[in-house]
Amino acid sequence: MVAAVTPRSPAARAGLRPGDRILAINGAPLRDAIDFHFHAGEERLRLSVEREGRPRLARMTRRGAGLGLQLEAPRPAEIATCANKCVFCFIHQLPKGMRKSLYVKDDDFRLSFLHGNYVTLTDLEEAELERIETQRLSPLYVSVHATDPDLRHALLGRPRVRRDLLPVMERLAKSGIAMHAQIVLCPGWNDGAHLDRTVHELARLHPAVPTAAVVPVGLTRHRERLPALRALTGDEARGLVRTIEGWQREFQGSLGTRFVWAADELYLQSGIPLPPARAYEGFAVAEDGIGLVRRFEDGWARAIARSPAGLARPRQVTVVTGEMFAPRMRALLECLRVDGLTVSCVAVANELFGRGIGVAGLLAGRDIQIQLGRARPADRPLGDVVLVPAVALRDGAGVFLDDLTPADVAAALETPVVAVEPDAPALLAALLGR
């Protein structure tokens, strides 16, 4: 389904409109967006289109890489859902009464290829494996957690369909499919010797497995009737980071890459200094929380070096972040010296999910609204604007996880609320009112 058409693009010249359904390209029927991109690589395209129930034919000539066409995201009913009941599944830890889309557990290899979603590869049928190989759907992002078959089956909640992971990954590796691996670390389950085995068995698949990310389990306060899990302690986080850094030195010698990385959360919890940017080797899995902090802080240093000496008029700004990053955010903001600019940073505690969740991306609008309201005595107003992390907004509709919008929060606080993308130039521009 066509979502948008860029003016004066090949798609616009072909007469395509939002709402059109593209059924086939050059005679090849389409199942989804992946089929579209696979078959749309030719210079001349003949599209079979349905518009308001009537068939049409559109012809398009490619000029350059882009067609000027944006396709609609798949609807929940079109997504392959997960049959596992992972002991750490975040969706199982959501409170009741939230919007239905938040409870959709996807395990769809198409979303892994298109958007970097992690998949378990446990439910793939032979036709789907063949499609991955034929259409070269690479890279994929794989939820590994453990390579020991019995342990992984237990971590996945002992699903009805049991499938050993490594043979599937080996097959895809032979077909040239790259797979980024993720290990959600659950203390007492897949740490210690189990983690050592998992990392080293994955390393044997390098370069088909270019990275392995170790991330700590996230636990909310809504774990009724779920398996007993606990978070890492500070000492355990320090030990884990040191172990991973040791593996990195080993793999640099044997593979020519560090291969395995610790999530930023582990560094923040352990108090160990973050590695330099070069240690992340291009930030291949930054969106998985591997190197985001380093990239942001280095970008901040570059951005403020070019900031103005002063503002035309005084400006007061409140910056919202989660409890985990707040100390570092305050330190970064203290480095900004602009005459006339006053900035305060408020760490918002996550009451929706529980204090064990400290990342900014899972802040709820109501938590921001209530806690900023408390932090605003008459002699210390919130200022000209409140800046909130854009990563806390979901569904492409500008809503927080609890369905409040920035406008709702602004109305309650009687202060404008602006969502800011998580990069240093965007934050600086918002602080300066640009």
Side-chain angles (χ1 to χ4, degrees):
M1 185 77 78
V2 176
V5 176
T6 304
R8 297 184 296 280
S9 65
R13 287 190 288 271
L16 291 177
R17 302 176 187 171
D20 287 348
R21 184 176 295 277
I22 304 173
L23 305 177
I25 296 178
N26 293 343
L30 306 182
R31 292 164 289 187
D32 49 35
I34 289 178
D35 275 352
F36 174 88
H37 293 296
F38 183 74
H39 293 290
E42 302 295 326
E43 181 181 357
R44 298 183 183 278
L45 305 176
R46 187 180 70 257
L47 280 62
S48 299
V49 178
E50 181 183 272
R51 178 180 295 167
E52 297 177 351
R54 297 181 179 181
R56 293 174 54 89
L57 185 65
R59 296 183 184 276
M60 195 182 309
T61 301
R62 177 184 292 277
R63 291 183 175 88
L67 295 173
L69 200 61
Q70 180 180 332
L71 303 179
E72 283 191 3
R75 298 177 176 87
E78 300 169 335
I79 296 172
T81 55
C82 184
N84 303 307
K85 296 181 180 179
C86 296
V87 297
F88 50 80
C89 179
F90 198 83
I91 292 175
H92 292 166
Q93 303 178 68
L94 294 177
K96 296 179 180 179
M98 304 180 76
R99 62 180 177 275
K100 292 182 179 179
S101 63
L102 295 175
Y103 301 97
V104 175
K105 297 194 305 175
D106 78 83
D107 198 18
D108 197 318
F109 68 92
R110 299 170 301 174
L111 297 182
S112 184
F113 170 67
L114 290 172
H115 305 298
N117 294 17
Y118 279 87
V119 291
T120 63
L121 300 181
T122 55
D123 293 339
L124 288 181
E125 298 178 357
E126 178 60 27
E128 294 172 316
L129 280 168
E130 291 177 358
R131 184 182 181 191
I132 292 171
E133 295 169 324
T134 300
Q135 295 188 330
R136 306 282 295 179
L137 303 184
S138 176
L140 297 177
Y141 296 78
V142 182
S143 293
V144 174
H145 313 314
T147 52
D148 178 289
D150 293 333
L151 175 57
R152 186 169 193 260
H153 188 61
L155 285 164
L156 297 186
R158 305 189 184 280
R160 179 180 55 82
V161 176
R162 175 168 177 158
R163 188 178 207 169
D164 289 353
L165 176 66
L166 282 179
V168 178
M169 296 184 72
E170 289 166 355
R171 170 179 170 175
L172 294 177
K174 290 177 182 178
S175 297
I177 306 300
M179 295 160 284
H180 293 283
Q182 184 193 64
I183 302 162
V184 174
L185 202 287
C186 303
W189 287 70
N190 59 343
D191 52 358
H194 291 298
L195 180 61
D196 186 289
R197 171 179 172 175
T198 298
V199 168
H200 284 86
E201 288 189 335
L202 289 173
R204 296 189 193 116
L205 293 177
H206 182 81
V209 177
T211 69
V214 181
V215 303
V217 64
L219 304 176
T220 80
R221 62 184 179 88
H222 306 280
R223 288 193 56 83
E224 298 83 2
R225 297 184 297 279
L226 292 177
L229 294 177
R230 66 173 179 83
L232 285 162
T233 66
D235 286 342
E236 287 172 331
R238 280 186 287 277
L240 181 56
V241 169
R242 293 308 187 199
T243 296
I244 291 172
E245 290 180 338
W247 288 334
Q248 288 181 329
R249 291 188 290 272
E250 170 194 341
F251 292 133
Q252 272 193 298
S254 60
L255 302 178
T257 172
R258 291 169 176 82
F259 178 69
V260 59
W261 280 270
D264 293 354
E265 289 182 55
L266 292 171
Y267 278 97
L268 298 184
Q269 185 180 4
S270 69
I272 295 174
L274 287 162
R278 64 178 180 277
Y280 291 99
E281 299 180 9
F283 298 96
V285 283
E287 298 310 314
D288 198 31
I290 308 293
L292 271 179
V293 173
R294 168 54 62 212
R295 193 166 67 179
F296 181 87
E297 293 186 350
D298 287 357
W300 180 253
R302 291 190 297 269
I304 64 173
R306 301 188 295 271
S307 61
L311 297 177
R313 65 176 184 83
R315 179 173 170 82
Q316 183 177 346
V317 181
T318 297
V319 176
V320 168
T321 190
E323 289 186 304
M324 180 173 290
F325 189 59
R328 301 184 79 99
M329 177 64 85
R330 291 191 181 104
L332 294 174
L333 293 173
E334 288 173 1
C335 297
L336 180 61
R337 298 282 190 268
V338 177
D339 291 342
L341 178 64
T342 303
V343 183
S344 61
C345 177
V346 177
V348 172
N350 199 320
E351 302 295 346
L352 177 64
F353 295 125
R355 299 293 290 274
I357 303 297
V359 295
L362 292 174
L363 289 176
R366 182 166 175 78
D367 284 339
I368 295 172
Q369 175 181 311
I370 292 176
Q371 293 177 47
L372 260 65
R374 293 174 185 160
R376 185 187 58 176
D379 60 341
R380 190 160 59 87
L382 295 173
D384 298 282
V385 66
V386 171
L387 304 182
V388 299
V391 290
L393 302 175
R394 292 292 186 268
D395 273 6
V399 296
F400 292 98
L401 286 167
D402 55 0
D403 283 342
L404 288 183
T405 68
D408 295 329
V409 178
L413 296 175
E414 300 178 340
T415 306
V417 173
V418 174
V420 181
E421 293 299 327
D423 68 85
L427 175 59
L428 181 60
L431 288 167
L432 299 177
R434 294 176 178 173

